Amino acid sequence: MLTANGKTMATVALFHHVLGLTPGVIAFADDLRRAGHTVHTPDLFEGRTFAGIEEGMAYVQEVSFGTVIERGTRAAADLPSGLVYAGFSIGVLSAQKLAQTRPGARGALLYYACVPLTEFGDTWPDGVPVQVHGMDADPFFAGEGDLDFARQVVESAGQGELFLYPGDQHYFADPSLPSYDPDAAALLLSRTLAFLDAVS
């Protein structure tokens, strides 16, 4: 997308976390839009939202992880190539898959999660920058292997960055949830906007 002054802005596909397409996810997308970027927010849960992680995970297990990822793939198929793929927690599955497998990716922003590099290919694609963000004591991110996978992805990528924030919250950048950390969220947003400016 071109702005009035002729600058090219990024187009982002942003995939929500396991609580669904919450007001906080929409608010984050709106922050990126206010900076001039185009942001698409596919609903992988077909309108459902959940009050807690266990409830959301029960739904994912009911429909299957594969179905949720496939919904993300189908949503991206309706969008142009040349996207930045971004995901929060379970949304990282779709974002990382598309960044690794869909030609033309401009970058990947992986929040609160990361899966093994080999889940979707042998190496990270050349010329696709990536950022991974998570809290250093988050029991999901740091305690279940995602942090190790993030280090693997960042090492494989020619342009990779891993950002760790002090704390133990998972959804720390979602202002609609009690886990919200304003300082960490502001830093995550500033790093995200710098990333998008760099790939635009």
Side-chain angles (χ1 to χ4, degrees):
M1 183 184 76
L2 290 176
T3 63
N5 63 8
K7 177 177 170 54
T8 302
M9 306 302 288
T11 301
V12 181
L14 177 65
F15 298 98
H16 61 75
H17 48 58
V18 80
L19 303 187
L21 191 56
T22 63
V25 173
I26 297 297
F28 185 84
D30 286 341
D31 285 337
L32 305 187
R33 292 177 180 124
R34 277 189 287 273
H37 304 290
T38 299
V39 185
H40 301 276
T41 54
D43 188 344
L44 306 180
F45 289 178
E46 299 180 333
R48 297 171 181 84
T49 58
F50 301 99
I53 291 175
E54 288 186 4
E55 186 182 353
M57 284 301 298
Y59 169 75
V60 172
Q61 289 165 355
E62 178 185 337
V63 300
S64 83
F65 282 90
T67 295
V68 173
I69 296 171
E70 179 57 28
R71 288 173 182 172
T73 302
R74 288 201 308 267
D78 295 330
L79 301 174
S81 60
L83 298 176
V84 174
Y85 298 102
F88 290 108
S89 196
I90 200 170
V92 162
L93 292 171
S94 292
Q96 188 170 333
K97 177 190 176 183
L98 289 162
Q100 286 190 240
T101 63
R102 192 180 188 215
R106 298 293 296 275
L109 291 159
L110 311 179
Y111 306 113
Y112 321 147
C114 192
V115 297
L117 183 67
T118 54
E119 186 75 18
F120 304 118
D122 296 326
T123 61
W124 191 260
D126 289 339
V128 179
V130 57
Q131 282 187 353
V132 187
H133 301 256
M135 283 197 155
D136 58 8
D138 171 8
F140 298 102
F141 181 72
E144 295 187 354
D146 295 61
L147 178 53
D148 293 331
F149 302 144
R151 290 188 172 116
Q152 178 189 58
V153 164
V154 166
E155 183 178 349
S156 177
Q159 305 169 65
E161 296 175 293
L162 169 61
F163 294 111
L164 293 176
Y165 303 78
D168 61 2
Q169 297 302 309
H170 192 52
Y171 300 138
F172 66 87
D174 188 321
S176 68
L177 300 174
S179 54
Y180 180 60
D181 182 320
D183 292 337
L187 187 53
L188 179 148
L189 178 60
S190 68
R191 287 167 168 166
T192 295
L193 292 174
F195 179 92
L196 294 177
D197 285 345
V199 302
S200 297

